[in-house]
Amino acid sequence: MADDSTPDLNRRGFLKTTGAVGTAAAFAGVTQATPGRSPGAKEDEILVGVSKTADSPSGAVADAVPGNADIVHENKQLGYVAVKFPAEAADTARQNFVDAVTKKDRVKYAEQNATHQALLTPSDPRFGDQYAPQQVNAPAAWDTTLGSASVSIAVVDQGVKYDHEDLSAQFGSDVGQDFVDGDGDPYPDVLADEYHGTHVAGIAAATTDNGVGVSGISNSTILSGRALSESGSGSTADIADAIQWAADQGADVVNLSLGGGGYTSTMKNAVSYAVNNGTLPIAANGNDSSGSVSYPAAYSECLAVSALDQNENLATYSNYGPNTDVAAPGTDVLSTWTTSTKYKRISGTSMATPVVSGVAGLAQAQYDLSPADLRSHLKATAVDVGLSSDEQGSGRVDAANAVETEPGSGGGGGGDDGGDGGGGGDSTTSSVTDSLSSYADSKCWSYAWTYSSPSEVVVELDGPSFADFDLYASTGTTYCPSTSAYDYRSWTTDSQETITISNPDTSTDLQMLVDSYDGSGEYTLTITEKQ
């Protein structure tokens, strides 16, 4: 039944309803790894996402699991289970399970437990002094703040050598969690092989002004979520669990210097969970010299980082593309090391990402921003270094600008496409409250833009805790999105959804669909548009 009512809102740019879709949905707290699971890649597993309206993820899936497979892991907070098949099982057996389980009520998806790799490109032998802090104007920022221990950066990566002379002061009483081995000690297993996480941590937050070693970008507290093994690989499940854990610990930033595996709903839900719980994911573009950004950086929730060399050219190995948000130095970056060498230079978008995380730590110490506002602030205060927007996004991050510029006051660079680059001007927020009556109910909304060329729009759905509502959006069209045809989607296993769109197409109103996958109740839809 159509609903042609219009909310009583008073100014242009607020939401207006365009009628209920009235169709059914498309398909009718773990804190560490499950003991006994093998570390690293888990290619024999299928991850099954289950709506929060089910009594438990495992209960909703159990009767579809064949006799030669087992449920080996459950994350109730993210709403998924891992089902392990024997290594000798045929691919058709896994596919038959996927086909069967996705037909069950309250099962939202089933996908392979994909493998992710640390994004590292080996470098030449070390030479010279640090240049990364100088390139992003960290010394000028340090005149204002060195950062704060009240701001935390979670390093989801290999383990971090937390007793390193230049890192130990940055850890609190809880150093972290090991999601590879399933215990509370994220220390590297083999120091000679497991150096990536330690190098990343040192770039972001090696202790500055202590008379020892190198200077990190910020004196933020480090949390280590060990999700990659000494081989440098890790499963979707381990990484997703670590991201959820980091958000639950109150991390301001989660650094993801890793990638591969393509789009997965489990990882998408994890970064959505992080943003919804106050944590900004900052992720590496990838090292394939490709014109497309790798996942997880390509998720709209993440701030995607490309790598520059010492001359502020795009690094030869760095991925680029329209999903790029900012750039940072990533070539021959000197940082902490796990062996007697203590410090070493290596290269990669893995190294550029913690530079951005460190700058985020400085900005957060100064202003205490939400994930969406912190993301916009980093983009708004970035500096145009003469590259295209695909290569640098809004520009190279600038620590001095980030701590000296009041959020929302403008500034920043942008690529050579003439765009305004990034979310630092005025903003406007609109909201509407409505309800859905059952799993067969949906409602379409449109939003008339306030600004002619906004840098970013954030769409947030706050629905009932006892239901599972999903959010879809489309731009550049007059048609309402559906659960099968849309430009953007957020469909976690609960009713807290967020979609972030950079440089949206404003040629037509923004079109949005709120859909009940399961359950009923009242929801609030909020639009934040930023110049």
Side-chain angles (χ1 to χ4, degrees):
M1 180 174 64
D3 180 357
D4 296 322
S5 62
T6 302
D8 184 17
L9 303 173
N10 297 321
R11 61 185 177 85
R12 181 181 178 275
F14 274 47
L15 298 166
K16 56 184 180 294
T17 182
T18 58
V21 174
T23 57
F27 304 99
V30 171
T31 58
Q32 61 182 34
T34 301
R37 301 187 80 211
S38 59
K42 298 176 177 62
E43 296 178 354
D44 296 325
E45 293 182 3
I46 300 295
L47 304 181
V48 184
V50 178
S51 172
K52 286 289 179 66
T53 58
D55 290 337
S56 72
S58 57
V61 172
D63 63 0
V65 177
N68 64 337
D70 296 291
I71 296 175
V72 294
H73 180 63
E74 180 180 47
N75 186 319
K76 292 182 178 178
Q77 191 62 55
L78 294 180
Y80 79 87
V81 296
V83 178
K84 181 177 176 60
F85 285 76
E88 64 273 11
D91 290 342
T92 53
R94 296 182 184 85
Q95 188 58 51
N96 289 341
F97 169 68
V98 168
D99 293 342
V101 77
T102 51
K103 294 176 182 177
K104 291 181 63 61
D105 290 343
R106 297 184 173 84
V107 171
K108 302 195 74 168
Y109 67 86
E111 61 192 10
Q112 185 179 356
N113 195 353
T115 301
H116 303 257
Q117 301 287 340
L119 293 178
L120 164 69
T121 298
S123 73
D124 296 327
R126 63 180 291 176
F127 66 94
D129 297 320
Q130 283 180 272
Y131 79 95
Q134 295 88 333
Q135 192 177 88
V136 300
N137 288 323
W142 295 336
D143 288 340
T144 301
T145 179
L146 288 171
S148 170
S150 66
V151 174
S152 57
I153 298 172
V155 177
V156 172
D157 205 290
Q158 289 182 325
V160 176
K161 189 177 189 292
Y162 49 74
D163 58 358
H164 189 285
E165 62 178 8
D166 220 1
L167 294 175
S168 59
Q170 302 312 116
F171 283 88
S173 58
D174 180 8
V175 294
Q177 288 285 328
D178 187 338
F179 296 86
V180 178
D181 294 335
D183 59 47
D185 186 358
Y187 204 79
D189 279 359
V190 183
L191 289 173
D193 297 332
E194 196 170 341
Y195 47 79
H196 190 269
T198 298
H199 198 270
V200 165
I203 294 169
T207 310
T208 299
D209 199 31
N210 67 340
V212 176
V214 297
S215 297
I217 302 296
S218 70
N219 279 351
S220 300
T221 294
I222 302 170
L223 289 167
S224 175
R226 185 174 183 253
L228 305 181
S229 68
E230 58 270 24
S231 70
S233 65
S235 70
T236 295
D238 287 349
I239 297 165
D241 289 357
I243 293 170
Q244 177 232 308
W245 164 82
D248 288 347
Q249 301 310 301
D252 295 277
V253 169
V254 57
N255 188 97
L256 301 172
S257 291
L258 48 83
Y263 181 102
T264 74
S265 292
T266 304
M267 192 73 77
K268 168 76 170 176
N269 289 348
V271 294
S272 293
Y273 181 89
V275 170
N276 291 338
N277 286 275
T279 302
L280 176 64
I282 300 179
N285 268 17
N287 294 342
D288 302 320
S289 306
S290 167
S292 60
V293 173
S294 68
Y295 289 99
Y299 297 120
S300 61
E301 291 85 353
C302 296
L303 189 76
V305 181
S306 64
L308 305 176
D309 63 19
Q310 295 93 326
N311 298 315
E312 296 195 326
N313 295 316
L314 184 73
T316 57
Y317 51 80
S318 180
N319 289 10
Y320 55 94
N323 293 109
T324 302
D325 289 307
V326 292
T331 301
D332 287 331
V333 177
L334 181 66
S335 185
T336 46
W337 204 250
T338 51
T339 65
S340 59
T341 304
K342 294 187 179 179
Y343 304 93
K344 190 172 181 179
R345 291 182 182 271
I346 56 176
S347 302
T349 52
S350 277
M351 285 60 254
T353 303
V355 172
V356 179
S357 293
V359 173
L362 292 174
Q364 194 68 346
Q366 193 73 358
Y367 298 113
D368 191 17
L369 302 171
S370 69
D373 288 342
L374 179 58
R375 183 180 192 272
S376 295
H377 186 62
L378 293 172
K379 294 177 67 174
T381 56
V383 175
D384 185 350
V385 294
L387 302 175
S388 71
S389 59
D390 279 5
E391 294 172 322
Q392 68 170 0
S394 295
R396 187 257 299 143
V397 290
D398 191 283
N401 285 349
V403 301
E404 295 169 2
T405 305
E406 190 73 23
S409 63
D416 64 7
D417 61 350
D420 64 6
D426 294 335
S427 66
T428 182
T429 298
S430 312
S431 64
V432 65
T433 298
D434 203 79
S435 62
L436 298 177
S437 60
S438 71
Y439 77 92
D441 199 6
S442 302
K443 184 160 287 188
C444 193
W445 299 90
S446 66
Y447 172 82
W449 302 99
T450 298
Y451 306 123
S452 59
S453 299
S455 65
E456 184 177 270
V457 61
V458 180
V459 187
E460 298 171 281
L461 174 66
D462 181 9
S465 60
F466 48 81
D468 183 358
F469 291 179
D470 298 326
L471 179 63
Y472 301 81
S474 293
T475 57
T477 181
T478 58
Y479 295 99
C480 180
S482 70
T483 56
S484 59
Y486 52 85
D487 293 333
Y488 306 92
R489 174 183 70 179
S490 181
W491 67 324
T492 64
T493 57
D494 56 22
S495 298
Q496 307 302 308
E497 310 292 350
T498 302
I499 291 172
T500 302
I501 308 172
S502 297
N503 301 313
D505 181 347
T506 58
S507 61
T508 63
D509 290 354
L510 175 65
Q511 307 295 326
M512 295 156 289
L513 174 72
V514 179
D515 177 76
S516 172
Y517 179 86
D518 196 11
S520 62
E522 187 175 88
Y523 66 87
T524 298
L525 189 62
T526 302
I527 310 293
T528 301
E529 186 184 349
K530 304 177 182 181
Q531 276 194 313

